[in-house]
Structure formats: structure tokens, C-alpha cells
Amino acid sequence: MSVFFENLYDDKNAQTPLCLENGVTYCVTDIVRDIDHLAASISTGQRIAIYCQSARRFLIALAAIWRSGGTAILPATDKPGYLDEINQQFDLYLDDDAINARLTRDAKVSAFDMRLPTSTACAAIFFTSGSSGQPKPVIKSLAQIEDEIQTQIPLWHPIMPQGARMIGLVSHQHIYGLIFRIIWPVITKQTFSADPTPFWDMIIPDMARGDVLITSPAQLKNLHPDLETAPRPSLVLSSGGPLDLATAQEATRVLAICPTEIYGSTETGGIAWRQQTGPSSAWTPLPGLQTSLNDAGCLRVCARHIAGDDWYQTEDRATIDSDTGCFTLHGRADRVVKVEGKRISLGAVEQHLRQSDLVQDAVALLADENDRRLAVVAVLTEPGKDHLQKRGPFRMGRLLRREVARFEDDAALPQRWRFVDQLPTDSQGKRPLHLLRALFTKNADLGPVIHSQTRDGQKAILGLTLRRDMTCFQGHFPDHPILPGVVQLHWVVQTAATLFGSSNTVGEVSQLKFRRPISPEDDLKLDLDFDATGPKVRFSYHSDAVGVHSSGTVKFRIASQDQETAP
């Protein structure tokens, strides 16, 4: 039996509002009609990949695949290079357009087998970042997902008022979004938002008191100022990586509720939860979940929704309180890191780079614990060295980013580069992290640390951390250091080139205004608004305490070199 399908096909729920999309409310009967229609167009037992922007169409496709006896393949991204890597895993690919096309065709729904599948017969295969660098398949049954939801319902459902809606800012393509944006609302008979809404300004106008916000650390680090006066949510869930205490406290202040963090992975689903009300807040295991440590100090977990009676070994280092069973985490032991709340395989980034004719070898890393930008140390081939000499390090890095972008989402695109003749090694031939990081600390004061970043099309807002010991502050002035205007312009040009692919050759600067000095203590933000028709970028440096520091428009000159494309 399956609670998911029983609720969908229960006549008593037929007129229950299930999802909202583009201002339209869809009832359960609307969704079921499309599920049956799509299922009738699918061959029995196929392995079908789904990647949808619309959560409504995703639900329809997922349920239709399971109804037809098929297996759902859930790619981590729709990048062409990534899909090519896993194309042997599926027989058919469905995106929003393909689903719409099938739903507009005539189908003999009456001839379709109307028996409902059991939860154990329904499987979804996620492809996530494995430490080997290859996309790693993770199989989850609907039974496991339903078991996890039944475990969590007693924790969160009593907090949600009658009529609370599930508002998602995260993708439903991943296990966390799938559970709380798709399966949970069907099981608990709650309405969910189906529009893709990765940014706060997309959901604020439609928020209602008591809504449940499905968020990630990336969104909670970049709260919209209008949230302070928006209707109060009843619950704010966050997953994809741990929140730092400062972000948790600021989110609590702005949203008037402390975010509830869910710790887990694609392989395990939910493991534990916490609310950071102070330093060193521990994680509380979900009800019925057992924990222990292996000999290396890494967490082991056992729960019905993970591996039944078997123990699952994580790569997360931890310590467990023997009295309470709660635990604290101390980082990962493998080579998968979290960037902007997304799991990034360092091995996969390295492998993509080595496929280029320009790269002989490469190592990906986080060059600084306090700087979450991905970095790469690369040894170039002879053609690569020729390109480096012609283009320079900055444009060479931009070229190689395009190589990685064929396979990976933005979070996995390296932002810091070092080109060396030989990778640093110790006496045993290993590549210690401290030696690799030393390559970046030598030039660490060339630019600010970008501690936060939001982007909406051709607009971006970056949070910048400045340091008093940066070279640009030396001599301007010893007792009262300020950031020179020429450095401000350089950062604008460099950042626009990285984010929007613009030229780094300045043709004209206009409407330039330096209103207030920028000091190392300022909590600085840089707003960029790129216009490709110019091409030009409007910028503004500002801080909450001072307001606008400087602003202007930089128009770029397109040199012939800047129009080169990757070989």
C-alpha cells in the first residue's frame, strides 16, 4: 500500500486544493487527471529521467512513471554534458515542454491499468556527487520516503496551523525538496507552491501567515529586507548544509522564528535536526534513529527509512553525547564539500578539467575555511601554457570555467585559480592541503572575500568581507584606511567578467559618484546590473550602516581578443 497514492486517488480528496501555479489553484482531481493521461502515454517499465522547473509537472510525471511501472531518474542538473554522462541510465527524458506535449495529445486513459502501485514497487534514482568524481546513483523507494515523512510528521505537523501552505525556495529535483515540496503535501493534504521561486522577492508578495518555508543556507544568508514586514511563517526548514550561528540568529530576527535545520544526505534522507539558539547547538536524531561512531570517529546511523536494520556509514566526523544521544559535527572525511548549500565533488571538477586539452592535471579545493569559493591549482599542457601566455591568468580561468560549466551548476564553477608547473607534494608524494592553500595565501589580498552571493538573471548582489591588511588599504591612509576608487572599479570589472562573461576592457566610466569612503570595517555589499546590449554594468557599493558609498556605470569595449571562444 502507499499513503501517497491512496491520498491522490481517494475520492474524498478530489476537490482538495493541492498546488498553486501562476496564480491558479489545482485540486487533487486536476492533478490525477493529468497523471493518468501521462501514464497512458508511457511504455510499461521504462526508466525515465525527469527535470522540471514546475513542481506541478514534476509531481505529475513522477506519479505517472510509478503508475506505469517505471523507474524515475532524477538528474542533479539539466546541463547537456551532465546528461550525456548518465544517458545510458534512462530510456526517455521528460522536461516541462515534453510533459506538456504529451498532456495535449489524445490518450486512451480508460484502457490504462487503474490499479495503484505499492510504495515498495516505486523507485527513484538520484544522481549525486560521489567522491570518485562520477555521478553517483542513489536508489530510494517511495516506501523509504513515506517512512521518513511518518517519522517527521509528529515533529513539525503540530506546529503548522490549519491551511498552512508549503512554500519552496529549493529544487524538488533533490531529496530534501522532493520530500517537503512534493510527497509531504500529498500525504498531509497541504497545498504547495509549484512555481520555481529561488529568490525571496518571488515569494514575498504571495506569503501568508503560517506558511512553511522550505529553504537552504544560501537563501537564509541573503534575506530580503521586505521579509521583516512580511507575514510570519509557522516553520522555516533549512537543509543542504549547516547554518552558521550568525546567519541563524539574523534569520530568527527577520523571520521572527528560528530556522529548523535538517541534517542528512541523498543516501540517508533526514538524520537529525537542530535550532541554533546559541553556540555549539547539537543535532537531535529523528525519532527512532540510532547513532554511533566508527573507529575513525565518523557517524554511523540506523533507521528504517535509511537501511532498515542495517547501519549506514557516513563520512561526517562527529562526537556523540552519551547521555542525550545528540551529536555535533566536525566536517567531512571525504572529498565532497558544500558550496552554496550544494554538494560538490572535488573529484568531478578535477575530472572535467582533465578532459580539456589545455589541462594536464588539476586539484580542486576550498582555499580557505572562511571563503567558500571553489579554487583550483592546475598544471597546463603545452597548448594550455600558450593560451595562458596570450590570455593571462584571469581570462584563462574564465576559459576553463566554461569547460566545467558544460557539466556542473554554478556552485561548482571555480572562482580562484593558480597555474603551476608542478603540483606541490610532500616527501611521501602526497598533496597536503596546507601546501595547496599556501599558493593562495601569497596573493590573498588582491581582492575581497565574497561571503554571500545572490543572482537573478543579469542582476547580482555580493556580500564582501574586507581586511585591514589588504594591500589596497596601505597608505590610504595609515590612521584611517579607505578603499581607493580605482580599486573599486577594478573589482566591478573583475566581478562582472566572472558572473556575466563581460569583457575586462573598460571603454567608458560614467555617472561615477564617490559619496562616502569605504573602510575595512564596513559590512559592504556590491550590486551589479548588467546590460548585454551596451555592454555595460551599473554598480553600487553600499552598507546598512552608511548607505550608498559609491555608484556608477562601466561600459566595456569589446576587443577582438575578448571575442575568442574556447577551442
Side-chain angles (χ1 to χ4, degrees):
M1 303 298 288
S2 164
V3 179
F4 173 77
F5 277 106
E6 286 178 349
N7 279 2
L8 280 175
Y9 285 84
D10 187 340
D11 291 339
K12 293 182 294 184
N13 299 331
Q15 299 307 314
T16 301
L18 183 55
C19 72
L20 301 170
E21 186 173 35
N22 295 324
V24 178
T25 299
Y26 293 85
C27 294
V28 171
T29 188
D30 301 319
I31 302 299
V32 168
R33 181 181 60 249
D34 285 341
I35 291 171
D36 290 343
H37 194 145
L38 185 61
S41 75
I42 296 173
S43 299
T44 302
Q46 283 190 306
R47 293 164 66 91
I48 302 176
I50 323 169
Y51 196 94
C52 295
Q53 298 299 320
S54 162
R56 177 180 65 88
R57 283 189 284 268
F58 178 89
L59 167 59
I60 291 167
L62 181 67
I65 291 168
W66 285 340
R67 288 231 52 204
S68 68
T71 299
I73 308 296
L74 305 184
T77 178
D78 62 349
K79 294 281 187 177
Y82 181 92
L83 293 175
D84 287 344
E85 286 188 325
I86 65 170
N87 63 8
Q88 297 300 315
Q89 302 290 335
F90 54 86
D91 309 305
L92 176 67
Y93 177 71
L94 294 178
D95 58 12
D96 295 89
D97 292 339
I99 293 168
N100 276 343
R102 286 173 176 262
L103 290 177
T104 57
R105 299 175 192 165
D106 292 333
K108 297 179 180 179
V109 177
S110 59
F112 184 71
D113 186 350
M114 298 303 292
R115 289 175 297 179
L116 297 179
T118 63
S119 59
T120 54
C122 300
I125 301 180
F126 298 84
F127 279 86
T128 186
S129 297
S131 57
S132 66
Q134 292 290 337
K136 176 185 175 183
V138 177
I139 303 174
K140 303 287 287 191
S141 70
L142 178 58
Q144 288 176 294
I145 295 172
E146 289 184 349
D147 283 343
E148 177 179 348
I149 290 175
Q150 296 298 341
T151 297
Q152 296 202 47
I153 281 177
L155 295 175
W156 319 129
H157 208 255
I159 301 173
M160 307 174 190
Q162 184 72 25
R165 305 174 305 171
M166 310 296 283
I167 308 297
L169 285 90
V170 300
S171 172
H172 46 260
Q173 292 287 144
H174 306 283
I175 186 68
Y176 166 56
L178 172 68
I179 287 175
F180 285 104
R181 290 195 62 188
I182 305 294
I183 310 296
W184 178 292
V186 172
I187 288 178
T188 60
K189 304 181 180 65
Q190 290 176 266
T191 305
F192 68 92
S193 63
D195 295 303
T197 52
F199 302 107
W200 288 109
D201 54 3
M202 295 178 175
I203 72 164
I204 290 175
D206 299 321
M207 284 177 59
R209 185 175 181 84
D211 283 345
V212 178
L213 304 183
I214 315 300
T215 70
S216 71
Q219 278 122 8
L220 293 176
K221 289 179 181 178
N222 296 281
L223 297 172
H224 195 285
D226 290 350
L227 284 168
E228 295 195 38
T229 56
R232 303 290 86 183
S234 60
L235 183 66
V236 178
L237 296 175
S238 175
S239 191
L243 287 175
D244 59 83
L245 179 59
T247 297
Q249 291 176 330
E250 177 64 7
T252 302
R253 185 190 70 80
V254 172
L255 298 168
I257 185 171
C258 184
T260 298
E261 299 175 67
I262 306 292
Y263 160 64
S265 67
T266 305
E267 294 86 349
T268 63
I271 291 176
W273 64 276
R274 73 174 180 181
Q275 288 183 315
Q276 290 197 74
T277 55
S280 303
S281 296
W283 295 92
T284 300
L286 295 179
L289 185 140
Q290 303 176 65
T291 61
S292 68
L293 299 177
N294 67 6
D295 293 340
C298 290
L299 186 69
R300 298 196 311 152
V301 294
C302 182
R304 179 178 175 181
H305 69 271
I306 298 176
D309 295 331
D310 296 330
W311 287 85
Y312 179 87
Q313 180 64 64
T314 78
E315 295 294 334
D316 296 317
R317 296 188 299 270
T319 55
I320 301 175
D321 186 315
S322 58
D323 294 328
T324 65
C326 297
F327 59 87
T328 55
L329 298 173
H330 308 291
R332 293 185 66 83
D334 60 10
R335 298 197 69 239
V336 175
V337 298
K338 287 287 183 71
V339 178
E340 297 179 8
K342 297 182 179 180
R343 284 199 345 175
I344 305 300
S345 167
L346 299 178
V349 174
E350 293 163 359
Q351 182 176 339
H352 299 324
L353 286 169
R354 293 188 192 108
Q355 291 175 1
S356 169
D357 294 336
L358 305 177
V359 177
Q360 176 180 321
D361 201 358
V363 176
L365 69 151
L366 293 178
D368 189 322
E369 289 295 342
N370 298 316
D371 182 353
R372 304 307 292 179
R373 292 177 296 168
L374 200 62
V376 166
V377 181
V379 178
L380 301 177
T381 61
E382 290 304 320
K385 292 176 182 178
D386 291 340
H387 275 273
L388 177 63
Q389 185 175 5
K390 294 176 182 177
R391 296 170 178 262
F394 174 74
R395 293 177 61 228
M396 187 67 191
R398 225 172 49 173
L399 174 62
L400 294 178
R401 274 171 59 91
R402 291 201 292 268
E403 294 286 319
V404 180
R406 294 172 48 221
F407 304 92
E408 302 284 353
D409 287 331
D410 289 349
L413 303 185
Q415 298 187 51
R416 303 182 69 184
W417 297 85
R418 292 294 181 268
F419 300 107
V420 297
D421 293 330
Q422 184 177 355
L423 294 173
T425 59
D426 60 16
S427 59
Q428 296 179 326
K430 297 182 179 179
R431 301 167 180 173
L433 183 60
H434 72 274
L435 292 181
L436 296 166
R437 285 180 167 176
L439 295 173
F440 294 88
T441 56
K442 294 176 183 177
N443 295 312
D445 60 358
L446 289 178
V449 171
I450 302 175
H451 62 74
S452 65
Q453 177 178 312
T454 58
R455 180 173 175 181
D456 183 4
Q458 300 289 64
K459 297 182 179 181
I461 303 176
L462 293 86
L464 309 180
T465 297
L466 310 182
R467 300 177 307 283
R468 182 176 287 270
D469 62 350
M470 295 171 69
T471 300
C472 53
F473 284 120
Q474 305 307 308
H476 296 80
F477 297 91
D479 297 328
H480 303 284
I482 62 173
L483 187 65
V486 66
V487 175
Q488 297 179 40
L489 290 174
H490 173 70
W491 289 352
V492 168
V493 173
Q494 188 179 53
T495 306
T498 300
L499 293 180
F500 309 118
S502 63
S503 168
N504 60 355
T505 304
V506 177
E508 178 185 346
V509 179
S510 61
Q511 300 175 317
L512 185 60
K513 295 181 180 178
F514 294 106
R515 302 181 182 183
R516 297 175 179 86
I518 295 174
S519 70
E521 287 74 29
D522 289 319
D523 184 12
L524 197 62
K525 289 183 174 63
L526 172 58
D527 288 20
L528 298 175
D529 185 354
F530 182 66
D531 181 357
T533 62
K536 61 186 177 182
V537 64
R538 288 179 285 274
F539 73 90
S540 169
Y541 286 96
H542 60 97
S543 62
D544 294 338
V546 175
V548 177
H549 291 270
S550 62
S551 61
T553 300
V554 176
K555 187 172 184 179
F556 301 102
R557 184 171 70 248
I558 304 178
S560 58
Q561 289 182 329
D562 290 326
Q563 294 176 326
E564 293 176 359
T565 56

